[in-house]
Amino acid sequence: MTKEKNTDYKFDLWKLIFLGAYFAILTTERVISLVKCCMSDFKSFSYLDYYMMMLTIFAIFGSYIYAVMHITDAVKHREKQRGIFAELGIAAGILLLGGMVHTDGSIPVMQFISYGMILISMAIHTVQNVKKSKGADKKWLSFSYIVAYSMAIPVVYHTQIELANLFIPIECVVSAGMVAMFTIMLVRFYNGNGESSFSLPPFLIALLGDLAVLLLRWKEEINVFVLIFLCVMTALWCVGNVMRIKRKNKQ
């Protein structure tokens, strides 16, 4: 094994370890929450409670079924069109759907730790690609943008606002939609050289979706966390596109 291959093997191993930790911690937290939900009085549940429970169950089973089917098939037939980390990225996105709903018994600390694991894996991938090729500024900017994007995804909560019947469906769609966009970016991130294209559609979905969620619930509670990362994400997207245009003009 050459020195370069040995280095790549070590990077890949650590990426796999932290991705595995993400799955283990978030799955454990989600199962604990589901158990508490099942021990509660179902008569007191609203349609949102049932939605969050069903989505969490789907996310857990869906992520592992997807991972087993696609990764096993890729290894068996040696056909890795997307690569093992891209496939794990899709599975991670499916599991994240269940992590973005505040079910009864949710443990925020465990959720944040699990998200931290996947971000560390992404950081390792960035370091790996910086060592392989130039463009450290674009790669770290891309990493920061995708992280900010993931942090700007709103968690689905109960609300007591007058427009709750309008707000809750919007909140659910925005949350799930941004998870889907983040998953696509994550797959391209792992399957490529760690750079983002800073494309417009995912950005607009996040911007408009977050603004709708924030403004509708503004009087009840200002989601400062989402607001901050929405601003950070917007700034990074602008910088990324300015950098892309400058590079294009130089060519």
Side-chain angles (χ1 to χ4, degrees):
M1 184 181 292
T2 64
K3 184 177 180 181
E4 183 178 352
K5 286 185 177 181
N6 184 51
T7 301
D8 278 339
Y9 173 79
K10 290 179 179 178
F11 275 120
D12 289 346
L13 179 60
W14 280 110
K15 285 191 293 185
L16 195 59
I17 288 172
F18 283 106
L19 274 175
Y22 159 80
F23 281 99
I25 297 170
L26 187 55
T27 302
T28 301
E29 188 276 335
R30 291 289 77 201
V31 170
I32 292 172
S33 179
L34 282 175
V35 170
K36 186 168 183 179
C37 286
C38 292
M39 294 173 65
S40 302
D41 182 11
F42 282 85
K43 293 181 181 180
S44 64
F45 284 3
S46 66
Y47 71 91
L48 180 58
D49 290 306
Y50 286 110
Y51 164 78
M52 292 192 292
M53 286 179 63
M54 294 306 297
L55 183 63
T56 300
I57 293 171
F58 163 79
I60 294 173
F61 282 99
S63 62
Y64 285 96
I65 290 172
Y66 181 91
V68 171
M69 288 179 62
H70 286 76
I71 293 173
T72 301
D73 186 66
V75 173
K76 183 178 179 180
H77 298 94
R78 298 186 183 281
E79 295 174 355
K80 300 182 180 181
Q81 295 180 352
R82 281 191 290 255
I84 187 172
F85 289 103
E87 297 290 8
L88 283 173
I90 295 174
I94 296 172
L95 183 59
L96 186 60
L97 283 170
M100 287 291 109
V101 291
H102 192 76
T103 47
D104 189 24
S106 292
I107 309 173
V109 173
M110 287 186 69
Q111 291 179 340
F112 276 110
I113 292 174
S114 69
Y115 303 151
M117 297 299 101
I118 197 170
L119 298 185
I120 292 173
S121 176
M122 290 172 61
I124 294 172
H125 185 70
T126 301
V127 173
Q128 182 180 16
N129 280 280
V130 167
K131 286 182 174 292
K132 282 184 177 181
S133 59
K134 297 179 181 179
D137 53 348
K138 177 70 179 296
K139 290 177 174 59
W140 282 112
L141 182 65
S142 298
F143 166 78
S144 301
Y145 171 68
I146 298 173
V147 169
Y149 194 100
S150 68
M151 292 297 154
I153 301 173
V155 176
V156 176
Y157 284 96
H158 282 281
T159 182
Q160 302 300 322
I161 63 174
E162 294 181 3
L163 297 174
N165 290 332
L166 172 64
F167 172 78
I168 290 174
I170 291 176
E171 182 182 39
C172 293
V173 170
V174 171
S175 180
M178 286 186 65
V179 169
M181 292 296 100
F182 168 67
T183 303
I184 292 172
M185 288 191 288
L186 189 62
V187 169
R188 291 175 178 173
F189 176 82
Y190 275 125
N191 208 39
N193 60 355
E195 293 187 3
S196 172
S197 62
F198 297 96
S199 60
L200 183 61
F203 170 72
L204 284 180
I205 289 172
L207 180 64
L208 298 178
D210 274 352
L211 285 176
V213 170
L214 287 167
L215 292 175
L216 282 170
R217 200 173 173 225
W218 193 269
K219 290 184 179 180
E220 181 185 51
E221 181 183 0
I222 300 174
N223 194 329
V224 178
F225 187 85
V226 169
L227 180 60
I228 290 173
F229 279 101
L230 176 62
C231 293
V232 173
M233 180 200 74
T234 301
L236 293 173
W237 182 83
C238 292
V239 173
N241 275 280
V242 169
M243 184 181 294
R244 180 178 59 83
I245 293 171
K246 286 184 177 180
R247 285 188 174 184
K248 189 175 180 180
N249 292 334
K250 288 181 179 180
Q251 294 177 353

